[in-house]
Amino acid sequence: MSGFDEERAARHKARMQRKKALIDAHIQAAEEERGLLLVNTGNGKGKSSAAFGVLARALGHGMNCAVIQFIKSRSDTGEEAFFRDHPRVQWHVMGDGFTWDTQNDEQDRKTARAAWEQACVYLRDEKIDLLVLDEFTYTLKYGWLALDEVMQVINERPMMQHLIITGRAAPDGLIAEADTVTEMRLEKHAYAAGVKAMPGIEW
Amino acid sequence: MSGFDEERAARHKARMQRKKALIDAHIQAAEEERGLLLVNTGNGKGKSSAAFGVLARALGHGMNCAVIQFIKSRSDTGEEAFFRDHPRVQWHVMGDGFTWDTQNDEQDRKTARAAWEQACVYLRDEKIDLLVLDEFTYTLKYGWLALDEVMQVINERPMMQHLIITGRAAPDGLIAEADTVTEMRLEKHAYAAGVKAMPGIEW
């Protein structure tokens, strides 16, 4: 190493030491432990897949998990095929498809209500460590369920239970109550460029 | 149903039929099939977990997959515990930790180079259907690897191979070449509110 390189390495090291001290202090300050409410919203790809990635992570830690899909009606997805037979996962596909598939607002309401009742069972079950309510935001957006009613059950769930809610257009009242909120912002999508929804990527 | 309700249901149905026709036309127009380059970037939660969710999805479709973690050095994560023994996953933790952990720029460069060489092996392997380069953007951001060199190998990969790259601050040159790009925008994070990084959620 030349003298110049050594000086450069020493400056880098000093800068990184200061950064580490700062980060360690932040880590020490974060000491609360409890179940979290996570919301993945926005128009971009990754809302449901991020929930399924966390599901894999939770299973890797030995947790018991449940998933309810509120809109999806198909049962041929890669995620369902992969997770449904896992002994610590309860998987429910409870949707009837998109509003433009059913074309029946009354039916959509009943379907949402039935799925929410299943969600309530898990939201009162201490044995469930992680619950995923996939595409749940639409039940609020379309007014099929009332936010107040939903938030009451969510806020009374077991202390250490994690909950992930996905879907576009999460209402402000849900975002206000959540611990971690990510907006999956659409930068670009292959579909708009004429690429078919590829198995393994989109479903 | 009252006359008013029937009229309302009929209007809803007509609106949804028009919407469905539009969406079906879009679906028909998207007919190209090929391997995609996906980029999950931004400061919010969900970049890596969305990649792991897609990994689960791809495995559910019977695909062969590989994951290289470029920064992470720990091997106690839930995702690794969950996926590493799957017969169709190759999992490599090849990082040395964050720059403020190593405090050694020269070492960081060598580590990045070694991980990239492993990536190149998969990027030339027709049998790999999905490759995840987790936290790869940092190798470009810090100049450990050159974008031109990287993009050449990526663009010459097998026609049907999907590639997911995650990490903050994806460079413009990478975004320009990608098919699907999501910015995971930080709306809020439990950590900032004093909650510890919870197992099963953050790692």
Side-chain angles (χ1 to χ4, degrees):
Chain A
M1 253 191 198
S2 70
F4 176 79
D5 283 345
E6 272 173 37
E7 202 184 301
R8 197 180 146 280
R11 273 205 315 272
H12 176 82
K13 184 167 183 170
R15 203 164 56 236
M16 290 300 122
Q17 280 173 336
R18 283 195 301 276
K19 189 161 182 178
K20 184 167 171 53
L22 210 68
I23 285 168
D24 286 349
H26 277 295
I27 290 172
Q28 286 223 326
E31 57 180 14
E32 199 191 346
E33 297 190 32
R34 59 179 166 79
L36 297 174
L37 170 55
L38 292 91
V39 174
N40 298 341
T41 192
N43 295 338
K45 177 169 173 59
K47 299 180 287 296
S48 296
S49 46
F52 300 141
V54 170
L55 175 65
R57 187 172 272 168
L59 291 169
H61 283 283
M63 295 179 173
N64 294 305
C65 307
V67 176
I68 301 175
Q69 297 193 287
F70 275 76
I71 302 295
K72 199 152 279 142
S73 59
R74 64 196 289 178
S75 250
D76 60 350
T77 63
E79 55 269 30
E80 188 185 346
F82 186 71
F83 286 115
R84 75 182 152 212
D85 295 328
H86 193 286
R88 282 184 278 107
V89 179
Q90 313 290 325
W91 192 283
H92 303 261
V93 180
M94 297 194 73
D96 269 337
F98 299 107
T99 51
W100 54 88
D101 291 321
T102 62
Q103 304 176 4
N104 185 330
D105 190 54
E106 196 53 34
Q107 179 189 335
D108 290 341
R109 275 172 200 277
K110 281 185 191 151
T111 303
R113 175 62 55 185
W116 171 243
E117 279 165 16
Q118 180 59 65
C120 289
V121 172
Y122 291 127
L123 285 164
R124 293 182 184 119
D125 184 348
E126 297 260 352
K127 294 189 296 301
I128 295 295
D129 303 304
L130 169 67
L131 174 62
V132 176
L133 303 184
D134 188 37
E135 298 183 322
F136 180 70
T137 57
Y138 305 101
T139 67
L140 302 168
K141 183 186 172 200
Y142 294 124
W144 300 333
L145 299 172
L147 182 64
D148 285 354
E149 178 195 352
V150 161
M151 285 316 308
Q152 188 173 342
V153 182
I154 287 176
N155 287 333
E156 288 172 358
R157 76 190 190 282
M159 176 70 190
M160 295 306 291
Q161 186 183 84
H162 300 297
L163 172 62
I164 307 180
I165 290 175
T166 80
R168 296 183 183 210
D172 292 344
L174 175 64
I175 287 175
E177 299 271 359
D179 297 293
T180 294
V181 179
T182 307
E183 181 202 347
M184 274 65 177
R185 211 176 65 76
L186 173 75
E187 187 88 33
K188 56 176 159 174
H189 199 293
Y191 181 65
V195 182
K196 209 169 158 173
M198 299 294 290
I201 298 293
E202 300 297 339
W203 56 279
Chain B
M1 251 192 201
S2 71
F4 177 79
D5 284 345
E6 273 173 36
E7 201 184 303
R8 197 180 145 280
R11 273 205 314 273
H12 176 83
K13 184 166 182 170
R15 204 164 56 238
M16 290 300 122
Q17 281 174 335
R18 283 194 301 274
K19 189 162 183 176
K20 184 166 170 55
L22 211 68
I23 286 168
D24 286 349
H26 277 295
I27 290 172
Q28 287 223 327
E31 57 181 12
E32 199 191 346
E33 296 191 33
R34 60 179 167 81
L36 298 174
L37 170 55
L38 292 89
V39 174
N40 298 342
T41 191
N43 296 337
K45 178 169 173 57
K47 298 181 286 296
S48 295
S49 45
F52 300 143
V54 171
L55 175 65
R57 186 171 274 170
L59 291 169
H61 282 284
M63 294 179 174
N64 294 306
C65 306
V67 177
I68 301 176
Q69 297 193 288
F70 274 76
I71 302 295
K72 199 152 279 139
S73 59
R74 65 195 292 178
S75 251
D76 60 350
T77 62
E79 55 269 30
E80 189 185 346
F82 185 71
F83 286 115
R84 77 182 150 211
D85 295 328
H86 193 286
R88 280 184 281 108
V89 179
Q90 313 289 325
W91 191 282
H92 303 261
V93 181
M94 297 196 71
D96 270 336
F98 299 108
T99 52
W100 55 88
D101 292 320
T102 62
Q103 304 177 5
N104 185 330
D105 190 54
E106 196 52 36
Q107 180 188 334
D108 290 342
R109 274 172 200 278
K110 281 185 191 150
T111 303
R113 174 60 55 185
W116 171 242
E117 280 166 14
Q118 180 61 64
C120 289
V121 171
Y122 291 127
L123 284 164
R124 292 181 184 120
D125 186 347
E126 297 260 353
K127 294 187 297 298
I128 295 294
D129 302 305
L130 169 67
L131 174 62
V132 176
L133 303 184
D134 189 35
E135 298 183 323
F136 180 70
T137 57
Y138 304 101
T139 67
L140 301 169
K141 183 186 172 199
Y142 294 125
W144 300 333
L145 299 172
L147 181 65
D148 284 355
E149 179 196 351
V150 161
M151 286 315 308
Q152 187 173 344
V153 182
I154 287 176
N155 287 334
E156 288 172 358
R157 75 190 191 282
M159 176 71 192
M160 294 306 291
Q161 186 183 82
H162 300 297
L163 171 62
I164 308 180
I165 290 175
T166 79
R168 295 182 184 212
D172 292 344
L174 176 63
I175 287 175
E177 299 271 359
D179 298 293
T180 294
V181 179
T182 308
E183 181 201 348
M184 274 66 178
R185 210 177 64 76
L186 173 75
E187 186 88 32
K188 57 176 159 174
H189 199 292
Y191 181 65
V195 183
K196 208 169 159 175
M198 301 294 289
I201 298 294
E202 300 298 338
W203 55 280

